[in-house]
């Protein structure tokens, strides 16, 4: 049978434990998960594309069902070309939902064959976002419980550099 691939798109600046949780739970539903890392730097990421990619690669080095790709352009086109059956997204709360619902309708219009599957964040991750983690770390707060250890180290080094 054909392998069922899900695309998990985002900025991942940087990857948090919330993201890792969605990937792992996605692997219980799909044969493979491909992280589609946004190349577009208009959000002025703190980590360059190659750095974000290396951090994700290291996180999933032992898991051959997870891969990473660069996303530049229409997500549904990326998903179609990759042969994906679904787009995977995490939902933390109402503001995620408002945005995601619009995207679902637009993406369904553009590519009716590709479903979007939402996983609600774990309670303990529901307040974790890359931007909040960066902000708190910048102010000297401890964010180590929200990041994989190697990413926490990289963030601290980045903020010091
Ligand atoms: P984007 O720029 O698309 O918002 P993010 O890297 O912030 O990119 O998020 C990528 C995906 O991961 C989104 O679906 C987002 O809802 C989800 N996500 C982010 N943080 C968490 C978390 N703490 N728990 C669950 N899902 C999350």
């Amino acid at each position: 049978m054909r392998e069922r691939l899900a695309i998990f798109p985002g900025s991942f600046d940087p990857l948090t434990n919330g993201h890792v949780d969605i990937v792992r739970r996605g692997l219980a539903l799909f044969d493979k998960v491909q992280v589609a890392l946004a190349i577009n730097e208009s959000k002025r990421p703190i980590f360059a594309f190659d750095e974000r990619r290396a951090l994700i690669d290291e996180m999933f080095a032992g898991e051959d069902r997870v891969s990473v790709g660069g996303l530049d352009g229409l997500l549904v086109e990326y998903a179609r070309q990759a042969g994906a059956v679904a787009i995977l997204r995490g939902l933390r709360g109402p503001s995620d939902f408002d945005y995601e619902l619009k995207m679902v309708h637009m993406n369904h219009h553009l590519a009716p064959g590709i479903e979007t599957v939402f996983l609600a964040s774990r309670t303990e991750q529901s307040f974790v976002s890359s931007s909040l983690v960066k902000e708190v770390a910048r102010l000297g707060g401890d964010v180590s419980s929200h990041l994989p250890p190697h990413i926490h180290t990289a963030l601290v080094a980045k903020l010091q550099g």
Side-chain angles (χ1 to χ4, degrees), residues 2-23:
R2 218 173 120 227
E3 286 186 322
R4 297 171 69 76
L5 168 71
I7 303 296
F8 182 39
S11 313
F12 306 104
D13 183 43
L15 185 84
T16 68
N17 286 338
H19 295 131
V20 172
D21 185 55
I22 297 294
V23 172

Short mmCIF file of all heavy atoms in Angstrom, two decimals, residues 2-23:
data_model
loop_
_atom_site.label_atom_id
_atom_site.label_comp_id
_atom_site.label_asym_id
_atom_site.label_seq_id
_atom_site.Cartn_x
_atom_site.Cartn_y
_atom_site.Cartn_z
N ARG A 2 0.36 2.30 -0.64
CA ARG A 2 1.13 3.54 -0.70
C ARG A 2 1.30 4.15 0.69
O ARG A 2 0.38 4.12 1.51
CB ARG A 2 0.39 4.52 -1.61
CG ARG A 2 1.36 5.32 -2.45
CD ARG A 2 0.63 6.17 -3.45
NE ARG A 2 0.96 7.56 -3.21
CZ ARG A 2 0.07 8.53 -3.15
NH1 ARG A 2 -1.20 8.29 -3.30
NH2 ARG A 2 0.44 9.76 -2.93
N GLU A 3 2.48 4.69 0.90
CA GLU A 3 2.73 5.28 2.21
C GLU A 3 1.95 6.58 2.36
O GLU A 3 1.87 7.38 1.44
CB GLU A 3 4.22 5.56 2.38
CG GLU A 3 5.01 4.29 2.60
CD GLU A 3 6.46 4.58 2.91
OE1 GLU A 3 7.02 5.51 2.30
OE2 GLU A 3 7.01 3.87 3.76
N ARG A 4 1.42 6.75 3.54
CA ARG A 4 0.61 7.95 3.80
C ARG A 4 1.49 9.01 4.45
O ARG A 4 1.95 8.85 5.58
CB ARG A 4 -0.59 7.59 4.68
CG ARG A 4 -1.52 6.59 3.96
CD ARG A 4 -2.59 6.06 4.87
NE ARG A 4 -3.56 7.09 5.21
CZ ARG A 4 -4.51 7.52 4.38
NH1 ARG A 4 -4.61 7.01 3.17
NH2 ARG A 4 -5.36 8.44 4.75
N LEU A 5 1.69 10.07 3.67
CA LEU A 5 2.59 11.15 4.12
C LEU A 5 1.78 12.37 4.55
O LEU A 5 0.83 12.78 3.86
CB LEU A 5 3.51 11.54 2.94
CG LEU A 5 4.33 12.81 3.09
CD1 LEU A 5 5.45 12.63 4.12
CD2 LEU A 5 4.92 13.24 1.75
N ALA A 6 2.16 12.95 5.68
CA ALA A 6 1.57 14.23 6.11
C ALA A 6 2.65 15.29 6.10
O ALA A 6 3.81 15.03 6.45
CB ALA A 6 0.98 14.10 7.51
N ILE A 7 2.26 16.49 5.71
CA ILE A 7 3.17 17.64 5.70
C ILE A 7 2.87 18.51 6.92
O ILE A 7 1.71 18.89 7.14
CB ILE A 7 2.95 18.50 4.42
CG1 ILE A 7 3.15 17.67 3.15
CG2 ILE A 7 3.86 19.72 4.43
CD1 ILE A 7 4.53 17.14 2.95
N PHE A 8 3.89 18.81 7.68
CA PHE A 8 3.72 19.68 8.86
C PHE A 8 4.46 20.99 8.58
O PHE A 8 5.69 21.07 8.72
CB PHE A 8 4.29 18.96 10.09
CG PHE A 8 4.15 19.71 11.39
CD1 PHE A 8 3.01 20.44 11.70
CD2 PHE A 8 5.17 19.68 12.34
CE1 PHE A 8 2.88 21.13 12.90
CE2 PHE A 8 5.06 20.36 13.56
CZ PHE A 8 3.91 21.08 13.82
N PRO A 9 3.73 22.02 8.14
CA PRO A 9 4.38 23.27 7.75
C PRO A 9 4.52 24.27 8.90
O PRO A 9 3.70 24.27 9.83
CB PRO A 9 3.40 23.82 6.70
CG PRO A 9 2.06 23.36 7.19
CD PRO A 9 2.27 22.06 7.94
N GLY A 10 5.52 25.11 8.81
CA GLY A 10 5.65 26.16 9.81
C GLY A 10 6.98 26.88 9.69
O GLY A 10 7.79 26.58 8.81
N SER A 11 7.18 27.83 10.61
CA SER A 11 8.41 28.61 10.62
C SER A 11 9.48 27.93 11.49
O SER A 11 10.67 28.05 11.22
CB SER A 11 8.17 30.01 11.17
OG SER A 11 7.03 30.58 10.58
N PHE A 12 9.04 27.31 12.58
CA PHE A 12 9.93 26.57 13.47
C PHE A 12 11.17 27.39 13.84
O PHE A 12 12.30 26.95 13.66
CB PHE A 12 10.32 25.22 12.84
CG PHE A 12 9.11 24.41 12.42
CD1 PHE A 12 8.75 24.32 11.08
CD2 PHE A 12 8.33 23.77 13.37
CE1 PHE A 12 7.61 23.60 10.70
CE2 PHE A 12 7.20 23.05 12.99
CZ PHE A 12 6.85 22.97 11.65
N ASP A 13 10.91 28.58 14.36
CA ASP A 13 12.01 29.50 14.69
C ASP A 13 12.07 29.78 16.18
O ASP A 13 11.70 30.87 16.61
CB ASP A 13 11.81 30.81 13.90
CG ASP A 13 12.97 31.78 14.13
OD1 ASP A 13 14.12 31.31 14.14
OD2 ASP A 13 12.71 32.98 14.32
N PRO A 14 12.53 28.82 17.00
CA PRO A 14 12.96 27.47 16.63
C PRO A 14 11.88 26.44 16.93
O PRO A 14 10.82 26.77 17.47
CB PRO A 14 14.15 27.24 17.57
CG PRO A 14 13.72 27.93 18.84
CD PRO A 14 12.89 29.12 18.42
N LEU A 15 12.19 25.19 16.60
CA LEU A 15 11.34 24.04 16.94
C LEU A 15 11.20 23.97 18.46
O LEU A 15 12.20 24.05 19.18
CB LEU A 15 12.02 22.77 16.43
CG LEU A 15 11.26 21.44 16.55
CD1 LEU A 15 10.31 21.29 15.35
CD2 LEU A 15 12.23 20.26 16.57
N THR A 16 9.96 23.85 18.94
CA THR A 16 9.72 23.73 20.39
C THR A 16 9.23 22.32 20.72
O THR A 16 8.92 21.53 19.82
CB THR A 16 8.64 24.72 20.86
OG1 THR A 16 7.39 24.31 20.30
CG2 THR A 16 8.95 26.15 20.45
N ASN A 17 9.10 22.04 22.01
CA ASN A 17 8.55 20.74 22.40
C ASN A 17 7.10 20.58 21.92
O ASN A 17 6.64 19.46 21.72
CB ASN A 17 8.62 20.57 23.92
CG ASN A 17 10.04 20.32 24.39
OD1 ASN A 17 10.88 19.87 23.61
ND2 ASN A 17 10.32 20.61 25.65
N GLY A 18 6.40 21.71 21.75
CA GLY A 18 5.04 21.65 21.20
C GLY A 18 5.06 21.10 19.79
O GLY A 18 4.23 20.24 19.42
N HIS A 19 6.00 21.57 18.99
CA HIS A 19 6.14 21.06 17.62
C HIS A 19 6.52 19.57 17.62
O HIS A 19 5.97 18.78 16.84
CB HIS A 19 7.23 21.82 16.85
CG HIS A 19 6.94 23.27 16.61
ND1 HIS A 19 7.84 24.26 16.90
CD2 HIS A 19 5.85 23.90 16.09
CE1 HIS A 19 7.34 25.44 16.56
NE2 HIS A 19 6.13 25.25 16.07
N VAL A 20 7.48 19.24 18.48
CA VAL A 20 7.96 17.84 18.54
C VAL A 20 6.79 16.91 18.86
O VAL A 20 6.64 15.84 18.27
CB VAL A 20 9.08 17.69 19.59
CG1 VAL A 20 9.45 16.23 19.79
CG2 VAL A 20 10.31 18.51 19.18
N ASP A 21 5.95 17.37 19.79
CA ASP A 21 4.80 16.57 20.19
C ASP A 21 3.85 16.32 19.01
O ASP A 21 3.35 15.21 18.82
CB ASP A 21 4.08 17.31 21.33
CG ASP A 21 2.94 16.50 21.90
OD1 ASP A 21 3.20 15.36 22.32
OD2 ASP A 21 1.80 17.00 21.92
N ILE A 22 3.64 17.36 18.21
CA ILE A 22 2.74 17.21 17.05
C ILE A 22 3.35 16.23 16.03
O ILE A 22 2.65 15.37 15.48
CB ILE A 22 2.46 18.57 16.37
CG1 ILE A 22 1.75 19.53 17.33
CG2 ILE A 22 1.64 18.39 15.09
CD1 ILE A 22 0.34 19.14 17.75
N VAL A 23 4.64 16.32 15.81
CA VAL A 23 5.30 15.39 14.87
C VAL A 23 5.15 13.95 15.37
O VAL A 23 4.73 13.05 14.63
CB VAL A 23 6.80 15.72 14.70
CG1 VAL A 23 7.50 14.63 13.89
CG2 VAL A 23 6.97 17.07 14.00
#
